[in-house]
Amino acid sequence: MIAVVVPLAATLAIQIAVSGAGLSGPVIAPIANDDLGLAAAFVGVYVAFMYATAAVVTATSGAWLQRFGAVGTSQICLSFSGLSLLSISTGTLAGFALAGFLAGVGYGPTTPASSAILARVGRPEQRNLIFSIKQTGVPAGNMLAAAAIPSLALAFGWQTAAAMAGAVVLALAAGMTPLRARLDSGAAIARSPTLRAALVGPMRQILAEDPLRKLVLISVAYSGLQGVLSTFMIVFLVEEAALGVVAAGFVLAAAQIAGVGGRVLWGVVADRFGRPLRVLGLLGLAMGAFGVAMAVFGTGLSYPALTVLAMGFGGTAVAWNGVYLAELARLAGPARAGEIVGAGGLFTFGGVALLPSAFTAIVLAAGSYALALALVSIPAILSGVWLLRGNPAEVKPAP
């Protein structure tokens, strides 16, 4: 049990910190709009920049892992994430823009690093649950940012709130040092790996194998809708539902809480029935349907009903990742899990860069957050149908 608990606890803490840091920019943006002189919809540009950076960086995760080890790579990611918050705290437009880049660098290799650790622990029948528990760090970190940052910003100012959060993340990076000897023993190498070893090989394997290719393609739509939820929920509720920023933040926090529970639930379901691809297909249908429902009914519901709807949205759109990553790692095999997850991240993070950008473009063109949310929910529905209409039977993992 200890062999599972320590790596899982460490990767969970890292994921919470990096995810919270990544969402802090979009959470702060509506509060800082008057100081920075930007329209609220431009938060999508920040998120697109962050995840486009993450997409490029995560594709080279194999090189990071070979050079620094999984824990060492995680410490580097935490450091960049902490610096992104300190950059926001400068209170300048340039600092905010730089924060998007730094947060993207920090976010990118985090999941491949944790996958490299977790692929070696636990029993095969626990795989989906282990990965799903670790992935609860994403909505948990988002929940903390959504609930805490607005309150801290109103109490101390948004610049101070960002600086405080950055200091916590940097402290965690330093605190992970003792784990390097335990979890990275023999993992790092002295030479710098080639670009071919870091990117071309894993990407070629993904594109050549149908199960891997299908997984990374549906992740574009799923991650994109998740990114829209996390990025625009507060802005959507403030601009169109006339909620205050703190009240809207708590609705987003409720959605993220549901995402935490959903990740564990769907991991258990996938392990119990042994059909992770079918689970992923059904989640695509559900998250798309909840997105459309939020767009159509979200502005006219009472606060409790709106919160419940948001929790349904979060319990699906924020809850698919653990099952996805466990299946990707299973197909890759323990030896290549980190590299394949990293190369697949080019598609996953690409979705988070693409759909929020499309959301922003629709808002600027049509002036409607509801229309934008409905339209960007459709790809998830189509991806779920595609996955279910294919062959959801399990295949053997790579040797």
Side-chain angles (χ1 to χ4, degrees):
M1 180 62 70
I2 296 298
V4 176
V5 170
V6 173
L8 183 54
T11 54
L12 178 60
I14 292 165
Q15 191 70 68
I16 290 172
V18 171
S19 299
L23 187 65
S24 292
V27 170
I28 290 172
I31 304 171
N33 276 339
D34 290 341
D35 294 330
L36 297 177
L38 289 177
F42 277 98
V43 69
V45 176
Y46 175 93
V47 172
F49 183 40
M50 181 179 76
Y51 282 104
T53 302
V56 174
V57 175
T58 194
T60 64
S61 295
W64 293 52
L65 294 171
Q66 292 182 59
R67 181 66 175 170
F68 304 109
V71 177
T73 297
S74 297
Q75 287 182 289
I76 294 172
C77 291
L78 287 167
S79 298
F80 274 102
S81 296
L83 290 174
S84 74
L85 290 163
L86 296 184
S87 184
I88 290 175
S89 73
T90 63
T92 65
L93 185 58
F96 216 99
L98 177 61
F101 170 78
L102 294 172
V105 175
Y107 206 110
T110 300
T111 296
S114 63
S115 297
I117 294 172
L118 296 180
R120 304 192 300 266
V121 304
R123 300 189 303 272
E125 62 270 22
Q126 300 173 314
R127 180 182 296 110
N128 287 284
L129 179 58
I130 289 172
F131 274 77
S132 293
I133 291 174
K134 193 282 295 185
Q135 283 302 114
T136 62
V138 175
N142 291 348
M143 175 191 68
L144 287 174
I149 293 294
S151 297
L152 289 173
L154 292 177
F156 303 105
W158 61 270
Q159 293 170 250
T160 301
M164 293 168 65
V168 171
V169 176
L170 291 174
L172 180 61
M176 289 290 164
T177 300
L179 291 178
R180 294 196 66 177
R182 179 170 183 176
L183 299 179
D184 277 354
S185 179
I189 60 176
R191 64 182 177 83
S192 297
T194 64
L195 178 62
R196 181 182 181 84
L199 176 59
V200 177
M203 188 62 67
R204 180 175 294 170
Q205 181 179 346
I206 286 175
L207 296 178
E209 298 181 16
D210 183 66
L212 288 173
R213 184 171 61 250
K214 181 172 286 189
L215 277 174
V216 300
L217 288 176
I218 65 105
S219 78
V220 175
Y222 288 16
S223 65
L225 186 55
Q226 178 182 340
V228 166
L229 184 156
S230 297
T231 304
F232 289 104
M233 178 71 78
I234 290 178
V235 178
F236 170 75
L237 295 174
V238 170
E239 295 292 324
E240 295 206 358
L243 292 182
V245 66
V246 174
F250 277 107
V251 173
L252 176 57
Q256 301 294 348
I257 290 171
V260 171
R263 291 192 181 206
V264 176
L265 172 63
W266 305 129
V268 171
V269 170
D271 281 334
R272 173 66 179 81
F273 295 102
R275 303 297 292 271
L277 296 181
R278 185 170 292 277
V279 170
L280 286 171
L282 292 173
L283 283 173
L285 296 180
M287 71 176 74
F290 276 115
V292 173
M294 177 66 72
V296 174
F297 304 111
T299 59
L301 294 175
S302 66
Y303 190 74
L306 177 61
T307 303
V308 170
L309 179 58
M311 292 180 71
F313 196 8
T316 51
V318 184
W320 60 279
N321 314 66
V323 178
Y324 162 77
L325 290 171
E327 184 66 2
L328 201 62
R330 185 184 76 85
L331 292 170
R336 303 203 72 190
E339 295 178 10
I340 296 300
V341 170
L346 183 64
F347 296 86
T348 306
F349 287 128
V352 190
L354 177 63
L355 263 68
S357 298
F359 188 102
T360 297
I362 295 168
V363 171
L364 294 177
S368 172
Y369 286 88
L371 176 63
L373 179 55
L375 291 178
V376 299
S377 297
I378 294 174
I381 297 174
L382 297 178
S383 295
V385 171
W386 181 50
L387 196 57
L388 290 171
R389 290 187 63 184
N391 179 16
E394 303 308 308
V395 297
K396 295 181 179 179

